[in-house]
Amino acid sequence: MHKDMVIMYKKLCLVAAAILGFLAAASAQDDYAVYIQESGGLSLLYRGRQAFMYDIVFNGTYWWSTPEFRPGAVQYNGKSYRNVPLNIDAVRQELVIQAPAGVNGKVLDISYVDSCRIGSEKYINLQALLGPDAPGGYWQVLYDGQAKFLKQVTKKLESDLDGSRRALTGTDFSEYKDKVSTVFIYKAAYACLTEDGRFVPVRRKQQIANLYKSRKREGRHYMNRLQANGTFNLETYGKELLKYLETK
């Protein structure tokens, strides 16, 4: 009798294990169904690898401007997706989509990204536009006309033992944490994409005017009048000069 009870007990355990396995599989399917439902049919965007996590204490931010994900749009693998939460990791030059609750952010493979918009800001992938010899990463379009004025933000993690580098974060350093010895340093690069498709790095204001040789003197006179009460930085100068030259 005792032997029969042992056999019966083993059979019940096998049945219970089978039931639990079935329930677990059903639960996983339900979770995936919820994931698909919550992603709003955007599951293709969430198939990339998990976004890199900076598991250290630091000042500044590794994001392009702010850690906040903003509603955006992306042209991905030939298809347009709208109203998706996006941000750019400026250290790794990766476009990240904020996944549904409980799922970490995912990286959108840049080789499939033509352009994207985050809030009101437009970004382009120059290699998708010009080919593999073009500079990599993402470039923000500051002026979008016959020519484009571009900006790329990069970040680099560096040491800051005495807190003297807080002004180099490119963020509101009023929240700078004392006794934190690592900081993400902000750097901006500028360029023009000419009407005929040439990529021209810009480090000085004069370089922008030189792209319009027949009108560069006129452009300089206009900018001198426009900034009579101060001096524009390179970013503002480039936007205003191109706007004038292309609309007059």
Side-chain angles (χ1 to χ4, degrees), residues 2 8 94 114 121 155 180 192 217 226:
H2 177 71
M8 181 63 69
E94 292 177 341
D114 294 333
E121 300 163 355
K155 302 288 183 75
V180 173
C192 279
R217 178 175 297 179
L226 189 64

Side-chain angles (χ1 to χ4, degrees), residues 73-104:
V74 60
Q75 186 76 12
Y76 188 73
N77 198 22
K79 185 176 179 180
S80 296
Y81 297 88
R82 300 181 182 278
N83 197 29
V84 291
L86 300 172
N87 207 340
I88 295 177
D89 179 333
V91 176
R92 305 170 74 85
Q93 290 297 305
E94 292 177 341
L95 181 62
V96 179
I97 180 169
Q98 188 178 47
V103 183
N104 290 327

Side-chain angles (χ1 to χ4, degrees), residues 52-58 62:
F52 186 81
M53 301 296 291
Y54 296 85
D55 192 19
I56 56 174
V57 180
F58 53 82
Y62 54 89

Side-chain angles (χ1 to χ4, degrees), residues 7-80:
I7 294 174
M8 181 63 69
Y9 176 76
K10 290 182 177 180
K11 288 182 177 180
L12 289 173
C13 288
L14 291 174
V15 172
I19 292 174
L20 289 174
F22 173 79
L23 291 175
S27 176
Q29 290 178 350
D30 288 343
D31 289 344
Y32 184 72
V34 170
Y35 164 73
I36 293 297
Q37 184 177 5
E38 289 183 352
S39 69
L42 307 175
S43 57
L44 177 64
L45 299 182
Y46 298 112
R47 292 179 182 174
R49 56 184 170 80
Q50 180 178 323
F52 186 81
M53 301 296 291
Y54 296 85
D55 192 19
I56 56 174
V57 180
F58 53 82
N59 278 308
T61 179
Y62 54 89
W63 297 109
W64 189 284
S65 58
T66 170
E68 178 185 3
F69 280 75
R70 291 177 290 161
V74 60
Q75 186 76 12
Y76 188 73
N77 198 22
K79 185 176 179 180
S80 296

